[in-house]
Amino acid sequence: MPVILSPFHLDERLRGGWPLDAATVLDPSLPDAAPWERMAVIARGIADAVAAERARGAVPLVLSGDCVAALAVVAGVQRAGDDPVVVWLDAHGDVQSPETSASGYLGGMPIRQLLGGADRTVPEALGLRPLDEGDVMLLDGRDLDPPEAAFLAASRARHEPLHAVETDRPVVLHVDVDVVDGADLPGLLFPVGGGPSLERVVEVVTAIVDGNDVAAVSLACTTADRASAGMRAIAEAARGALERSR
């Protein structure tokens, strides 16, 4: 079960530790360009690495510092011939667009990009085929801006509380660690209270991997302490379940 590390938050290179040792570290030189163009370079490396692992029958676990990396994970899985559904664990909605985002934070848009909306620079660079709304499930998503709530209410994308799910399709599992209650995982960049405990998130991640044909896992380490015990617990849960399922 190969671990791939993309040590970036958006287009910023991150220093410091990570929850797992990686067999592959992707650290491309970035152009002097707009953020989305720089992120497209990062994403192409991730997609290439994921596609290569899938082509040899492996299930990669991708560590990164943001949720945009999940676009590349899905694109790599598609490139290898799978037609996945996406199960997305996150405290936030990630369905913003440049027109709806009050903050302009680029990491708040990747589900919208998976569905064919928002900025298309990264999806087009990857050859990402937009997913049908019904093929995306957002679990938790307890902190929504009004435009996100409106979008999800009108969408066929599933927005449900955190729980174990099973499907007969290949799954790309994406976990933003801020799905954990902010009080239970110190150091989160965007903490949100009122969420599930670390123990509950570990339990659900394990159950999803154990209960499905998982094609790849994307873990967004959106915390200042990426090598903390809590981070390792989530990462090891995913890796351990993947190793049992092979």
Side-chain angles (χ1 to χ4, degrees):
M1 196 282 302
V3 177
I4 299 167
L5 171 61
S6 178
F8 290 89
H9 176 257
L10 303 181
D11 62 342
E12 176 190 359
R13 176 65 161 82
L14 298 172
R15 308 295 174 185
W18 293 83
L20 297 174
D21 292 332
T24 301
V25 179
L26 305 172
D27 193 7
S29 296
L30 302 183
D32 182 12
W36 281 123
E37 294 172 358
R38 288 162 59 85
M39 291 157 65
V41 173
I42 297 166
R44 278 194 291 265
I46 299 171
D48 290 347
V50 168
E53 294 294 350
R54 290 299 296 155
R56 69 180 187 85
V59 180
L61 191 163
V62 176
L63 305 177
S64 73
D66 61 65
C67 293
V68 177
L71 301 176
V73 177
V74 174
V77 168
Q78 289 180 338
R79 198 179 300 171
D82 290 313
D83 181 24
V85 298
V86 173
V87 180
W88 193 284
L89 279 60
D90 203 316
H92 304 92
D94 286 1
V95 292
Q96 297 281 11
S97 71
E99 295 75 28
T100 65
S101 176
S103 67
Y105 177 58
L106 304 185
M109 304 182 189
I111 291 182
R112 194 72 166 263
Q113 291 170 300
L114 282 176
L115 298 176
D119 189 282
R120 306 308 297 159
T121 305
V122 170
E124 289 176 3
L126 298 173
L128 176 69
R129 298 191 301 276
L131 301 184
D132 184 86
E133 289 182 346
D135 289 341
V136 174
M137 178 183 294
L138 170 62
L139 298 182
D140 194 45
R142 61 190 182 273
D143 184 21
L144 302 177
D145 289 343
E148 292 184 294
F151 176 84
L152 288 168
S155 169
R156 288 184 295 106
R158 295 169 61 182
H159 176 207
E160 300 177 0
L162 184 69
H163 66 102
V165 299
E166 292 187 9
T167 175
D168 58 4
R169 297 263 301 280
V171 169
V172 171
L173 173 62
H174 174 71
V175 182
D176 184 338
V177 299
D178 68 21
V179 70
V180 178
D181 189 287
D184 217 20
L185 190 62
L188 290 171
L189 302 182
F190 308 104
V192 182
S197 67
L198 174 63
E199 181 180 9
R200 175 60 176 159
V201 170
V202 167
E203 177 185 89
V204 170
V205 167
T206 302
I208 291 173
V209 177
D210 279 345
N212 293 278
D213 175 18
V214 174
V217 176
S218 170
L219 181 61
C221 304
T222 53
T223 175
D225 188 358
R226 296 180 298 277
S228 69
M231 284 296 312
R232 291 197 302 272
I234 298 170
E236 290 286 4
R239 180 167 67 177
L242 286 172
E243 289 174 345
R244 287 195 301 276
S245 67
R246 294 307 103 194

